[in-house]
Amino acid sequence: MNILERFAPYFRQINHFDRDNGLAFEIHAPGEITYRMTVQEKHLSSPGIAHGASLAAFMDCVLGLSALSQALTEGQLTSTVEFKLNFIRPARLGDELVGTGKIDYRGKSLIIASGDVRLPSGELVAKGLGTFNTYPLEKKGELYAALADQN
């Protein structure tokens, strides 16, 4: 079992944010992910419309997991340095949002990831671009122990 196969169930177990907000993800390959979220009442800022902060948090998940899924295969973790978000259209109560992320650049200590949030119809809701710092997995002892190769 590779590190991403060990990571996914562990991350689902410890990630309260995803669980509390109804988020689900798939890692297709290092640096290539899909996240899903259905807009709930707790995500609204005005009647029927999602708050921009809920979309920003969702985009941080999309971009962050893209970067993290690449970094993990190299024995690294990531932290968000910055990200930019373009809101294209409003997300509405009940909308299923599909976020896709990918790596655009991998340097010595930084990863640049881009992402889209779309409706299942393909309509674009938001675009994002983020920068992530990498650091050794060993710095997070409990996570390192949980992901250590058991073979």
Side-chain angles (χ1 to χ4, degrees), residues 12-148:
R12 287 182 180 101
Q13 177 186 353
I14 66 164
N15 190 330
H16 296 279
F17 186 82
D18 280 12
R19 194 168 43 255
D20 291 348
N21 286 284
L23 277 63
F25 67 86
E26 293 176 65
I27 300 172
H28 307 292
E32 296 177 25
I33 66 93
T34 301
Y35 244 111
R36 295 181 187 281
M37 176 180 123
T38 299
V39 178
Q40 303 171 32
E41 280 192 38
K42 66 182 172 181
H43 300 131
L44 303 182
S45 62
S46 58
I49 305 295
H51 193 290
S54 61
L55 291 175
F58 182 55
M59 182 61 79
D60 189 33
C61 293
V62 169
L63 298 172
L65 187 58
S66 297
L68 181 58
S69 67
Q70 176 64 51
L72 279 168
T73 65
E74 302 163 3
Q76 301 277 304
L77 293 173
T78 59
S79 60
T80 305
V81 173
E82 62 83 33
F83 77 93
K84 174 188 182 334
L85 177 61
N86 296 108
F87 298 103
I88 309 298
R89 68 172 301 281
R92 302 181 188 287
L93 180 63
D95 281 352
E96 180 189 1
L97 304 178
V98 180
T100 56
K102 66 181 182 70
I103 302 302
D104 294 327
Y105 170 80
R106 174 62 165 117
K108 182 178 175 185
S109 62
L110 294 177
I111 294 175
I112 309 287
S114 60
D116 290 346
V117 173
R118 296 179 182 274
L119 298 175
S121 66
E123 261 187 286
L124 187 61
V125 174
K127 290 191 73 61
L129 182 69
T131 306
F132 300 83
N133 182 58
T134 61
Y135 60 96
L137 177 59
E138 292 84 9
K139 286 198 172 192
K140 296 281 186 175
E142 182 180 318
L143 181 59
Y144 179 71
L147 298 180

